[in-house]
Amino acid sequence: QVLLVESGGGAVEAGGSLRLSCAASGLRFDQYNLGWFRQVPGKEREAVSCVGWEGITTYYADSVKGRFTISRNNAENTLYLQMTSLKPEDTAMYYCAAGLIVIPSSCTPVTGYNHLGQGTQVTVSS
């Protein structure tokens, strides 16, 4: 059974930083493309950042470029998202996701990231 467990969320002031982690088990981690998605109530889940299985191909949403950095450690089966210069509009539930038949350079299709964690809440106050 695939299990993705996020951690590192919390409440910060605007301009602050957080580092999200996602511990994976039950899958061949180094074969999967991974991503971070976020969702706020009443809105669709949106792709934040994705990384290919090889750790080289990446995608960042325009809204987070230059502020967020995605990375993975295949030896430790862990995915990270370093978030800096956080803004109130970054407030959301953040989900770690894994998929095989996806295009990591565009984080598509979203439905291809068919393994999803339970989420970790990020709240940024102004």
Side-chain angles (χ1 to χ4, degrees):
Q1 179 182 356
V2 176
L3 190 62
L4 302 173
V5 180
E6 302 94 336
S7 62
V12 297
E13 293 185 349
S17 299
L18 285 172
R19 188 193 196 202
L20 304 184
S21 299
C22 172
S25 61
L27 76 170
R28 275 291 306 272
F29 187 81
D30 59 0
Q31 293 183 349
Y32 275 78
N33 302 293
L34 305 172
W36 290 97
F37 296 78
R38 66 187 181 188
Q39 189 169 22
V40 297
K43 292 190 176 181
E44 291 188 355
R45 186 175 301 147
E46 66 169 343
V48 175
S49 181
C50 290
V51 61
W53 61 270
E54 80 290 345
I56 298 175
T57 306
T58 57
Y59 164 88
Y60 293 95
D62 287 342
S63 58
V64 307
K65 280 181 182 176
R67 300 188 297 120
F68 291 10
T69 303
I70 192 169
S71 62
R72 62 187 295 166
N73 185 326
N74 285 350
E76 296 185 354
N77 286 10
T78 306
L79 175 71
Y80 300 99
L81 184 68
Q82 179 67 51
M83 305 187 295
T84 62
S85 301
L86 282 161
K87 304 176 180 180
E89 51 264 43
D90 294 319
T91 295
M93 184 71 78
Y94 283 71
Y95 298 90
C96 168
L100 289 173
I101 313 301
V102 295
I103 305 171
S105 59
S106 61
C107 262
T108 58
V110 173
T111 54
Y113 290 87
N114 54 324
H115 298 295
L116 208 65
Q118 84 289 346
T120 186
Q121 178 67 37
V122 172
T123 302
V124 184
S125 58
S126 57

